[in-house]
Amino acid sequence: MKKYILFRAFYSVITLWLLVTIVFALVRLSGDPVKMRGEIGADAAYLQQIRQDWGLDRPVHVQYVSFLANLVQGDFGHSFEKSLPVRAIYLERLPNSLKLGFAAFAISLLIGVPLGMISALKVGTAWDNAGKAVALLGLSIPGFFVGLVLIIIFGVDLGWLPVLGKGSSNFSGNDPSTWFSFWFQDWRHLAMPAFALGWYFSGAMLRITRSGMLDVLGTDYVKLVRLKGVPEAIVTGKHALKNAMIPVLTVAGLNLIIMINVAVVIEVIFNWPGVGLLLYDGLTNRDFPMVQGVVLMSGVMIVLLNFIIDVLYAYVDPRVRLTA
Amino acid sequence: MATAFDEVGALATVSRRARHPLRILRELPAIPLLIVAVLAFVALLAPVIAPHGKLDPVKPTPAQCLAKFGAENCPYVDGMPPFWAPEGSLTTPLGTDFLGRDVLSRLMYGAQISLLVALTGTIVAGFIGTMVGVLAGYMGRWWDQILMRITDAWLTLPSLVFAILLSSVRGPGVWNVVLILALVFWSRYSRAVRGEVLALRERDFVRLAEINGISKTRIIFRHLVPNVMNTVMVLFSLQVGVAVIIEASLSFLGVGVPPPEPSWGLMMSEGRDALMEGSWWLAVFPGICISLLVLSANMLGDWLRVRLDPQLRNR
C-alpha cells in the first residue's frame, strides 16, 4: 500500500509538472499573453511596459525557471486588475463553486442512478428506451441552454425563483457560524444553476449506472442468489446494487471535481460568483495572469483529487494496488 | 429429399443475402441523418435560401415602424417576435434581434459556422491524436512513455477551461476556434488509438510485415492506421457534438467567433440580455439549433459505435 501511494504520488507530480509546462509552452507558442490588453488600441510603449512588468521580455528559459519556482512556492501569479494574489481570490470563491458543485452533483445522482437502475432492470422495454432518451438528451442539450430556458420559465414568466446571484449567505473562514449554515441557505438561488449544471452529468450517471448494473446482473453470484430463492427486490436492491455502485462512485467523484471547475458559462448566466465567473472576469478584464492562475489552480486541484481518488480506490479494492 | 432440403437451404441464404443491403438501410438512424442533412443543406445554401442578409437589418414597413416607434420611417425594428405572435410578421418568421436583423437568416448562416468550426477542429484533432496514438503504441518504450504522459497531463484540464486559456492568448476568430479545438481534443483520440495499436502490433500480419523488412512508416500507414479507423470514426462522431458545445460556449463568453458574425453561441449570449424584457425567442431558437445538431451527432456516434463493435450490439 505504501509503495502504491508513493508510486501514485510520483506519477501525480510528473503529471502536474507536464501540465504546467504544457500551459507555459502553449500560451507562448499559440498566442501572446499581452495580446488581450493590446486590443484596446494601446500603443507599443504601453504593451512593452506590460511585457516588462510580466517578465515576458526575458529569455524563455529564465521565464520558465521563475514560472516553475513561483508555482512550487504556491504563487499562481497576481491579478492585474485587482492586484491580489490569484490563489487568495480563487480560494475565496471556491466555497461558492463547491456549493453549486455539490448541489448539481446531488441532482445528477438523484436523476441518473434511479433511472439507470430502472433501465437496467427493465432492459429492452419501453422503460429502457425512455432511460436511453433521457441520457441522450442530457448529453446533447447544453447546460447553458437549459439554464436560459429555466430563467425564461421560472424567473421571467412565473417569477418564482431569483435569476441572478447566490443570495446573501457567505462562507467566511474566520467566522465559524458560517461554516455550517452557508451550505443550507438560499436554496432558491441555488435551484436553477444547480439543475442546469447537474443536467448534463445526470445523463452520464444514467449510462454508467445502467451498464454497471447490467454487468453485475450477468454475474454468477447474482444468479446463485436468485437460485437460492431470494426475493428479486433484495437481489437487485442489496446484492447487485452494491457492486454496481463501484464504477458509479468512481465516475461520480471525478464528475464532482469537473463540475466545480467547468461551470463557467452557467456561472456567467446566473451571475454565480464561483471560480468559473472568476475565469470569465479575467477574460473580460483582459487580465491574463488571472486567467492563467485560475486555470493552473484548477489543474492542481484536479490532479490532487485524482490522486486522492486513486488512493481511496486502492484502499477499497486490493486488486488495484497489486496490478499497478 | 436431401436435394429438396439443400435447395431450401440455398434459397434461404440467397434471400438473406439479398435482404442484407436493405436491412442496413432500415437500421440507419433516419432522424439524426435527416437533421444533419438538413443542417448541412441549409449551411451550404444559406446565401441562396436565406430570406435576408446575415449582417444588415431588415427594412421594415411603415406600419411596423408606426407600431414600434410612432413614426412612419425608421432604419430598423428591433426585437420583433416570431410570426405567430400578434406583432410578428411573415417577412421575419422567427423575429428580429436587437439590431433588427432577421433571426432565421442568421440561424442559417450560423449553421455554416458551427458545422465548419466543429468539423474542421475535430478532423484536425483526430489526425493529430491518431498519429500520436499510433506512434506511442507502435514504437513503444520511450516514445510510449513520453507521449502517453503528455496525453495524460493534457487530459487533466477540463476541455472548456483549457479552451478558454488558449482563447485568451489567441483572441476571437473563426480559425482561432478551430485551432483551439484541435489543440484541446487530440488527446482524446491518442489514448484510445494507442490501446488499439498495442493489440494490433502483436497480430500476425504486422509481425509478417516486420519480418519482410517493410519500413516502419509503411507499416504505420498501410497496416496500422487503416485498422484503427473504426475507433477513430466512432470517437470522431461523438467528439463533434462536444466541439459544437465548446464553440458555442466560447462564442457565448465572447472569445470564440467575433460579432457581428452569426454564431449560434454568440446569438444566445446576445439574446440573453433581452430575456428580462420577455424576448425569449432570441436565446431559444439558437439553443434549439445547437441542441438538435449535438443530439443528432451523438445519435450517429452511438449508432456507429454499436454498428462497429458487435459486442455492444445488445447493450
Side-chain angles (χ1 to χ4, degrees):
Chain A
M1 191 66 190
K2 202 170 169 187
K3 199 176 146 204
Y4 178 79
I5 294 179
L6 274 176
F7 172 77
R8 292 315 301 184
F10 173 73
Y11 181 81
S12 299
V13 170
I14 295 284
T15 307
L16 210 50
W17 169 68
L18 278 171
L19 179 69
V20 299
T21 308
I22 290 167
V23 167
F24 178 87
L26 274 185
V27 158
R28 280 154 186 79
L29 286 176
S30 71
D32 183 356
V34 183
K35 191 177 174 148
M36 276 175 99
R37 295 210 78 81
E39 277 170 345
I40 332 168
D43 58 336
Y46 174 66
L47 289 187
Q48 195 53 40
Q49 183 58 45
I50 296 176
R51 216 173 278 278
Q52 249 169 35
D53 289 349
W54 291 355
L56 290 168
D57 54 341
R58 294 172 298 170
V60 177
H61 61 272
V62 179
Q63 289 183 43
Y64 181 61
V65 170
S66 77
F67 178 76
L68 277 188
N70 284 340
L71 286 181
V72 168
Q73 293 163 20
D75 176 1
F76 288 80
H78 271 67
S79 161
F80 192 72
E81 287 289 321
K82 302 183 181 170
S83 47
L84 279 168
V86 173
R87 193 181 60 173
I89 309 175
Y90 186 93
L91 291 178
E92 188 195 313
R93 291 285 188 96
L94 192 58
N96 296 331
S97 267
L98 284 175
K99 187 173 171 183
L100 178 60
F102 278 125
F105 178 70
I107 289 173
S108 75
L109 285 183
L110 283 176
I111 298 177
V113 173
L115 288 183
M117 284 195 48
I118 294 174
S119 242
L121 293 177
K122 314 249 174 196
V123 66
T125 63
W127 289 96
D128 191 19
N129 288 335
K132 277 181 188 166
V134 170
L136 197 60
L137 288 180
L139 293 172
S140 302
I141 302 180
F144 55 90
F145 181 44
V146 174
L148 285 178
V149 172
L150 288 176
I151 289 182
I152 294 171
I153 298 175
F154 295 103
V156 180
D157 283 356
L158 297 172
W160 287 355
L161 294 170
V163 167
L164 292 178
K166 64 171 177 70
S168 56
S169 57
N170 274 311
F171 183 90
S172 158
N174 303 324
D175 180 4
S177 66
T178 64
W179 290 357
F180 187 73
S181 60
F182 168 74
W183 307 98
F184 300 99
Q185 284 172 351
D186 296 319
W187 66 267
R188 284 161 53 84
H189 289 80
L190 190 61
M192 288 199 288
F195 184 83
L197 181 59
W199 166 259
Y200 174 86
F201 293 92
S202 58
M205 294 319 302
L206 197 160
R207 285 194 167 177
I208 292 155
T209 308
R210 179 175 177 275
S211 74
M213 197 71 190
L214 278 180
D215 282 343
V216 174
L217 287 179
T219 56
D220 287 343
Y221 86 87
V222 169
K223 286 177 191 160
L224 183 69
V225 176
R226 279 191 178 139
L227 277 179
K228 255 171 46 177
V230 175
E232 188 61 21
I234 295 181
V235 175
T236 48
K238 188 181 160 201
H239 294 275
L241 184 65
K242 275 188 187 165
N243 270 321
M245 282 299 106
I246 293 177
V248 176
L249 288 180
T250 320
V251 178
L254 290 173
N255 276 351
L256 178 62
I257 312 166
I258 294 172
M259 276 186 224
I260 290 164
N261 287 293
V262 89
V264 187
V265 188
I266 286 173
E267 287 183 6
V268 169
I269 288 177
F270 291 99
N271 201 24
W272 185 272
V275 293
L277 196 62
L278 199 59
L279 195 56
Y280 180 69
D281 288 346
L283 278 181
T284 47
N285 292 333
R286 303 168 182 280
D287 188 351
F288 175 73
M290 182 76 142
V291 173
Q292 180 180 257
V294 172
V295 171
L296 288 172
M297 282 299 292
S298 300
V300 170
M301 234 183 90
I302 292 171
V303 172
L304 209 67
L305 285 165
N306 270 335
F307 168 68
I308 294 173
I309 288 178
D310 279 344
V311 171
L312 283 180
Y313 204 52
Y315 185 75
V316 175
D317 187 348
R319 285 169 296 182
V320 175
R321 353 176 182 147
L322 295 175
T323 49
Chain B
M1 253 337 247
T3 46
F5 268 123
D6 281 348
E7 263 176 37
V8 171
L11 270 179
T13 20
V14 167
S15 66
R16 196 176 300 142
R17 260 185 211 147
R19 222 169 51 218
H20 198 60
L22 281 176
R23 243 179 62 200
I24 292 185
L25 260 185
R26 211 170 54 217
E27 283 172 4
L28 274 181
I31 298 170
L33 273 180
L34 190 73
I35 296 174
V36 169
V38 167
L39 283 175
F41 179 79
V42 165
L44 281 174
L45 294 182
V48 185
I49 57 174
H52 303 280
K54 59 174 171 175
L55 303 183
D56 302 321
V58 179
K59 191 94 189 98
T61 61
Q64 286 169 346
C65 282
L66 210 57
K68 177 94 184 177
F69 301 107
E72 289 230 332
N73 273 318
C74 56
Y76 59 82
V77 175
D78 59 320
M80 273 217 307
F83 66 90
W84 58 81
E87 308 97 79
S89 123
L90 268 177
T91 43
T92 54
L94 298 184
T96 58
D97 68 0
F98 68 110
L99 285 176
R101 296 171 296 194
D102 179 32
V103 171
L104 177 66
S105 308
R106 280 174 70 75
L107 284 178
M108 288 177 160
Y109 282 99
Q112 278 184 340
I113 294 181
S114 280
L115 284 174
L116 176 82
V117 169
L119 287 178
T120 12
T122 325
I123 288 173
V124 178
F127 181 77
I128 304 174
T130 309
M131 284 300 116
V132 171
V134 171
L135 268 184
Y138 183 61
M139 304 299 273
R141 298 172 192 240
W142 285 108
W143 285 88
D144 193 20
Q145 281 298 320
I146 293 171
L147 290 176
M148 278 305 112
R149 288 297 83 77
I150 293 177
T151 303
D152 278 353
W154 214 283
L155 281 168
T156 308
L157 281 182
S159 40
L160 181 62
V161 173
F162 206 164
I164 289 175
L165 173 75
L166 294 180
S167 67
S168 77
V169 292
R170 282 305 297 182
V174 172
W175 293 107
N176 286 346
V177 180
V178 172
L179 177 80
I180 289 166
L181 289 178
L183 282 175
V184 170
F185 283 129
W186 68 264
S187 53
R188 276 140 238 253
Y189 293 86
S190 44
R191 187 131 271 284
V193 168
R194 170 192 172 259
E196 205 71 349
V197 170
L198 281 185
L200 279 175
R201 73 168 184 194
E202 305 299 328
R203 297 267 296 273
D204 286 345
F205 68 95
V206 178
R207 283 279 163 81
L208 283 173
E210 277 169 351
I211 293 167
N212 276 318
I214 292 172
S215 73
K216 284 194 162 139
T217 343
R218 199 175 155 80
I219 290 181
I220 286 178
F221 284 102
R222 289 300 294 270
H223 298 283
L224 294 176
V225 170
N227 274 300
V228 297
M229 279 328 269
N230 271 3
T231 308
V232 174
M233 283 309 296
V234 173
L235 276 176
F236 175 81
S237 56
L238 291 173
Q239 208 75 85
V240 167
V242 186
V244 171
I245 294 186
I246 298 283
E247 184 269 321
S249 305
L250 288 181
S251 300
F252 192 100
L253 297 174
V255 287
V257 177
E261 286 299 316
S263 153
W264 290 342
L266 187 63
M267 290 172 75
M268 281 182 85
S269 99
E270 288 168 352
R272 179 191 162 227
D273 303 330
L275 273 187
M276 288 297 137
E277 300 151 22
S279 310
W280 54 268
W281 60 93
L282 297 179
V284 167
F285 290 135
I288 291 176
C289 288
I290 296 173
S291 305
L292 277 180
L293 179 54
V294 179
L295 182 69
S296 41
N298 282 343
M299 283 171 85
L300 286 177
D302 281 343
W303 177 78
L304 259 185
R305 196 184 51 180
V306 174
R307 182 96 221 142
L308 297 179
D309 185 353
Q311 287 190 336
L312 278 170
R313 229 164 252 176
N314 297 319
R315 300 301 293 275

